[in-house]
Amino acid sequence: MTRTRTAAAQPDDLEGSADARAPAADTAWTRRPERSNQPMLRLMTWISLRLGRRAGRLVLRLIAGYFLLFAPTARRASHAYLARVLERTPRPAELFRHFLAFATTIHDRIYLLNERFDLFDIRMHGGELIRDIVADGNGVFLIGAHLGSFEVIRAVGRQQPGIRVAMVMYEDNAQKINRTLAAINPAAQQDIIPLGRLDSMLQVRERLDDGMLVGMLADRSVGPDAVERVDFLGAPASFPAGPWRIAAMLKRPVILMVGLYRGGNRYDIHFEHLADFTAVTRETRGAAQRDAIVRYAARLEHHARHAPFNWFNFFDFWQPARSRDAD
C-alpha cells in the first residue's frame, strides 16, 4: 500500500508495496514519473462525494480509455498478464475492462476512506480467522498484494469491532500516503510504520504485542534485497523475501487478505491462513520462508484466475532481472 496513487492514479503509476527490497533491476516500475497530482485528486474527490459514485464512474471510463490508448507500457503488461491468466489472446474489450477495474478500485477508495460502506456490497470469507485473532488479543501479519483492493479492510472493522491495522511501508511511501489521505479525507487516520529507521522493527513488534494486525504488500520488490523466484501463472516470477523474513524473525502467523472487486458495488474479502512462524528456528527459518512464498504465489494465482481483471501490477511481472536492467 505504499507509494500510493489514489483516485487520479494511473496504471503505470501503481502503488508500491511494503515489501522487501530487491535488486534494482527488478524495480524499473519505481522509476516511472507520477502522473497524478493533488489538485486532480481533490477534483475527483469533490465530483465523487458531491455528485455521487455513478457520476464519478462516468469519468473513469474516459480515464481508462485514455490510458489504454496512450500508456503503451501498461497496455503491453496488461496484454501479457491477461494472456497468461485467460490462457488465450485477450480481446481489446478485455484490456479496457482491466484498466477500468483498476480505475474503479482506486475511485472507490474515496468512499471507503470517507467510511461510506453503505454504498457497497462487501462479503467476507474466512472471517472466523479475524474473529479468533481479535478474541485472543494476538497480533498477526496480514499480507496482501496488488490484487483487488486492500482498502476494503476498513470495511472489516464495521463487522468486526476492535480490529486495528497498522501498515508497514518505506518512509518515502509513508509520506505519499499521508498526503493522499489528507487530500481525500483530512479526518482519515492510518497507523503507518515506516521501514528504514532504527526503531522500525521495534514499532512492528510493539503493534503486534498490542494485538494489532500489521499489514504488508508482498508482491513488489523495492531496492537491493533478496527475492525468491517461484512459479506464478506458468512461469517464474520474483517475490520479495523481506515480509516473510520479518514475520519469521518475530515468530508470528501470517494471514493472506485479498479484496476482490466483482463489478458494480460488490467486493469479496478473503482471509486465508498462509504460514505460522511461531515455532520456527534459525535452522528452519529459510525453508519456512520459501514454503510461505510458494503458497502465497499459489493463492494469488488461484484468486487471479477467479477474478482475472483484479491484477494491478501493470509491468512485466515475469521479465528476468537481467533484461529489466535495460529499461
Side-chain angles (χ1 to χ4, degrees), residues 83-96:
R84 288 183 181 278
V85 74
L86 299 176
E87 298 182 327
R88 59 173 172 78
T89 301
R91 295 185 289 270
E94 290 169 326
L95 295 176
F96 176 78

Side-chain angles (χ1 to χ4, degrees), residues 80-88 233 301 304-309:
Y81 159 74
L82 288 175
R84 288 183 181 278
V85 74
L86 299 176
E87 298 182 327
R88 59 173 172 78
L233 290 174
E301 177 170 331
R305 291 196 182 278
H306 283 80
F309 300 101

Side-chain angles (χ1 to χ4, degrees), residues 193-264:
I193 304 172
L195 288 177
R197 296 182 178 180
L198 292 176
D199 65 340
S200 296
M201 289 293 289
L202 179 61
Q203 290 188 53
V204 171
R205 185 187 295 273
E206 288 175 346
R207 301 301 199 286
L208 291 168
D209 289 343
D210 198 32
M212 295 181 67
L213 307 182
V214 175
M216 295 183 286
L217 302 185
D219 60 331
R220 287 194 189 170
S221 302
V222 180
D225 202 1
V227 297
E228 289 279 358
R229 296 280 289 175
V230 302
D231 187 74
F232 179 62
L233 290 174
S238 296
F239 288 88
W244 312 97
R245 185 184 303 120
I246 293 173
M249 287 176 60
L250 295 180
K251 297 190 173 183
R252 298 286 177 163
V254 178
I255 290 177
L256 172 70
M257 179 275 186
V258 293
L260 301 175
Y261 176 59
R262 293 298 194 175

Side-chain angles (χ1 to χ4, degrees), residues 55-188:
R57 293 185 73 179
L58 292 176
V59 179
L60 294 184
R61 291 187 171 273
L62 298 176
I63 293 174
Y66 174 85
F67 281 91
L68 178 61
L69 293 173
F70 299 108
T73 300
R75 185 174 64 247
R76 287 192 299 269
S78 174
H79 189 282
Y81 159 74
L82 288 175
R84 288 183 181 278
V85 74
L86 299 176
E87 298 182 327
R88 59 173 172 78
T89 301
R91 295 185 289 270
E94 290 169 326
L95 295 176
F96 176 78
R97 183 179 175 184
H98 192 195
F99 278 67
L100 182 61
F102 168 71
T104 300
T105 60
I106 296 297
H107 178 230
D108 283 347
R109 286 186 186 171
I110 293 174
Y111 302 101
L112 293 166
L113 285 168
N114 281 278
E115 299 185 352
R116 291 297 311 275
F117 305 125
D118 57 295
L119 297 174
F120 301 97
D121 174 14
I122 299 175
R123 307 178 189 187
M124 186 159 52
H125 310 270
E128 65 278 359
L129 292 174
I130 301 300
R131 285 193 293 270
D132 292 345
I133 291 167
V134 172
D136 293 342
N138 295 323
V140 67
F141 281 102
L142 195 64
I143 296 292
H146 294 82
L147 180 71
S149 172
F150 199 82
E151 196 62 51
V152 294
I153 185 68
R154 291 176 175 272
V156 177
R158 190 180 184 195
Q159 302 179 42
Q160 303 290 329
I163 287 181
R164 295 170 299 149
V165 181
M167 287 301 299
V168 180
M169 58 188 66
Y170 286 95
E171 189 165 12
D172 179 57
N173 298 327
Q175 294 172 358
K176 287 184 174 72
I177 195 168
N178 282 331
R179 290 197 298 269
T180 293
L181 292 173
I184 294 178
N185 180 2

